């Protein structure tokens, strides 16, 4: 496939819907809030994916996390198969699969199967972090020898050969086939929160997704490194980067009401960093929590990276961030308590950013 054909198909470069100035997508973790079950969380994610398709979001990605009681998306491939069966046109992908946790052949089979089930709609986003604590990572990687983040480039090369069926002659895996393998394979994205994946994505000519929502200080340097390292490939002639952005929109009450919702996510992240993961706290619990000075500082820092407020404020904030960073696409994420308020937030953002405009 030529570079021109690949870009024309639009399976990498996003589509800006309505009057939106750029493509807008969603990163979802199937969040489990206090008082809710995993079944309810996954049902809410399915409903959100259907609505995202109607609202005009371009992609809907789910992320691999383990050992976190507040996250139900431990197996992206399983969840993506379900979401694909419940949507028609929405691009679906992993944001991402943590490659060091898996044998590359397994990932090639899973995403080859997803591509066969939902042709032309699957993205394969790959990360090099474990997505969990060290003990859980060791349990996941039993049988994978000592491979980990340091072996990521080699694992990526092996996965790519499995997807393309082009191991060189004489390679130990040259006679192996990842089944099913479609004529077109899902595009590979590299994910990161530092410069390593940015540089690797640029060197390989792959699209890049940066986790601005939890590494905002590194966003601009990483994107600059990606662009300066970029080499045209059969996949992309020019760099293409999206950034993940925490965003919360409320119909009224302004920034303070949005911050009230955001504090529950911030408290959940604080507990995770302290080794005490749990379901997402309610806003009431977050309000009544007795924060130490260092904990209060963490929460304020976390909220400082979230674009929040009434819909117009959020749309302006997102567009300002896109222009400052030069990102080609924005992927919003709202990891807050309460399925209805989360669903409403994404709908308000879609409308304010222009996705639903004629």
């Amino acid at each position: 496939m030529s570079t021109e054909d690949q870009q024309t198909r639009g399976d990498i470069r996003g589509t800006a819907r309505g009057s939106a100035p750029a493509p807008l997508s969603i990163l979802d973790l199937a969040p489990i809030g206090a008082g809710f079950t995993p079944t309810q969380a996954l049902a809410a994610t399915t409903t959100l994916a259907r609505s995202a398709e109607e609202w005009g979001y371009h992609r809907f990605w789910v992320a691999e996390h383990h050992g976190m009681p507040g996250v139900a998306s431990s197996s992206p491939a399983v969840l993506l198969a379900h979401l694909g069966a419940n949507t028609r046109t929405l691009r679906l992908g992993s944001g991402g699969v943590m490659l060091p946790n898996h044998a590359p052949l397994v990932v090639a089979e899973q995403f080859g199967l997803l591509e066969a089930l939902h042709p032309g709609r699957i993205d394969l986003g790959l990360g090099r972090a474990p997505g969990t604590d060290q003990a859980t990572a060791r349990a996941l990687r039993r049988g994978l020898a000592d491979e980990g983040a340091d072996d990521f480039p080699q694992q990526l090369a092996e996965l790519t050969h499995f997807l393309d069926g082009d191991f060189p002659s004489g390679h130990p895996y040259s006679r192996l086939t990842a089944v099913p393998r479609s004529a077109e394979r899902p595009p590979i994205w590299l994910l990161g929160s530092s410069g390593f994946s940015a540089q690797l994505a640029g060197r390989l000519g792959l699209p890049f997704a940066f986790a601005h929502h939890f590494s905002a200080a590194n966003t601009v340097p990483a994107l600059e490194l990606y662009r300066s390292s970029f080499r045209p490939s059969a996949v992309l002639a020019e760099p293409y980067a999206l950034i993940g952005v925490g965003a919360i929109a409320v119909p009224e009450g302004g920034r303070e009401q949005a911050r009230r919702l955001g504090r529950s996510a911030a408290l959940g992240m604080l507990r995770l960093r302290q080794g005490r993961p749990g379901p997402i706290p309610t806003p009431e619990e977050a309000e009544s929590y007795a924060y130490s000075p260092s904990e209060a500082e963490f929460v304020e820092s976390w909220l400082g990276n979230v674009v929040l407020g009434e819909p117009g404020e959020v749309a302006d904030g997102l567009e300002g961030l896109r222009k400052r960073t030069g990102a080609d696409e924005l992927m919003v994420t709202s990891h807050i308590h309460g399925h209805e308020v989360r669903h409403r937030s994404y709908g308000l953002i879609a409308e304010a950013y222009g996705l639903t405009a004629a």
Side-chain angles (χ1 to χ4, degrees), residues 99 102-111 158-159 162 176-179:
L99 186 54
H102 310 280
L105 175 57
V106 171
V107 178
E109 290 177 335
Q110 290 174 342
F111 279 78
E158 185 178 311
L159 170 60
F162 274 125
L176 302 185
T177 302
V179 178

Side-chain angles (χ1 to χ4, degrees), residues 33-350:
F36 293 98
T37 67
T39 296
Q40 290 171 317
L42 292 165
T45 285
T46 305
T47 298
L48 178 60
R50 293 195 196 103
S51 296
E53 185 171 73
E54 295 174 1
W55 291 328
Y57 284 97
H58 183 68
R59 306 176 210 274
F60 193 96
W61 283 6
V62 297
E64 176 185 350
H65 291 281
H66 301 279
M68 298 182 186
V71 173
S73 59
S74 57
S75 179
V78 174
L79 183 51
L80 291 172
H82 172 73
L83 296 178
N86 282 273
T87 54
R88 297 177 296 105
T89 59
L90 187 65
R91 286 202 68 83
L92 301 166
S94 56
V97 164
M98 301 297 108
L99 186 54
N101 293 342
H102 310 280
L105 175 57
V106 171
V107 178
E109 290 177 335
Q110 290 174 342
F111 279 78
L113 178 55
L114 284 168
E115 177 66 23
L117 285 170
H118 310 295
R121 295 176 56 198
I122 302 299
D123 295 323
L124 173 52
L126 300 169
R128 59 189 286 266
T132 188
D133 60 90
Q134 291 185 354
T136 305
R138 285 195 296 270
L140 285 165
R141 297 173 182 178
R142 291 185 65 179
L144 295 181
D146 295 324
E147 292 183 348
D150 293 341
D151 301 294
F152 184 79
Q154 292 76 24
Q155 292 173 301
L156 174 62
E158 185 178 311
L159 170 60
T160 303
H161 283 307
F162 274 125
L163 288 169
D164 292 337
D166 64 352
F167 279 105
S169 177
H171 190 281
Y173 299 153
S174 62
R175 297 185 179 182
L176 302 185
T177 302
V179 178
R181 185 166 69 86
S182 302
E184 304 295 344
R185 66 163 168 86
I188 290 176
W189 289 70
L190 294 194
L191 282 58
S193 57
S194 65
F196 180 92
S197 292
Q199 190 170 29
L200 181 61
R203 196 166 70 241
L204 298 177
L206 296 175
F208 179 56
F210 186 82
H212 173 84
H213 53 297
F214 62 80
S215 188
N218 292 324
T219 302
V220 170
L223 293 186
E224 289 178 347
L225 181 59
Y226 169 60
R227 296 180 187 116
S228 65
S229 303
F230 188 84
R231 300 174 185 172
S233 69
V235 175
L236 282 175
E238 299 175 345
Y240 190 85
L242 67 77
I243 58 173
V245 186
I248 304 170
V250 296
E252 57 187 19
R255 292 180 59 82
E256 189 49 45
Q257 177 59 20
R259 281 172 60 86
R260 180 176 181 271
L261 296 175
R263 287 190 193 100
S264 63
L267 178 57
M269 180 56 64
L270 172 65
R271 288 172 170 168
L272 177 63
R273 296 284 178 89
Q274 294 173 336
R276 301 184 293 124
I280 302 172
T282 65
E284 292 76 16
E285 183 180 357
E287 284 179 326
S288 63
Y289 183 85
Y291 297 90
S292 70
S294 62
E295 289 175 334
E297 183 180 357
F298 175 89
V299 168
E300 287 305 310
S301 176
W302 181 263
L303 289 173
N305 293 327
V306 180
V307 181
L308 47 75
E310 294 186 3
E313 293 179 85
V314 174
D316 290 344
L318 290 174
E319 185 57 9
L321 178 63
R322 185 184 70 84
K323 289 179 177 178
R324 287 196 304 275
T325 62
D328 299 289
E329 182 175 337
L330 300 176
M331 179 168 278
V332 293
T333 183
S334 185
H335 198 64
I336 57 178
H337 186 277
H339 303 311
E340 291 183 5
V341 293
R342 179 165 134 267
H343 187 275
R344 180 180 60 188
S345 176
Y346 285 119
L348 292 171
I349 292 170

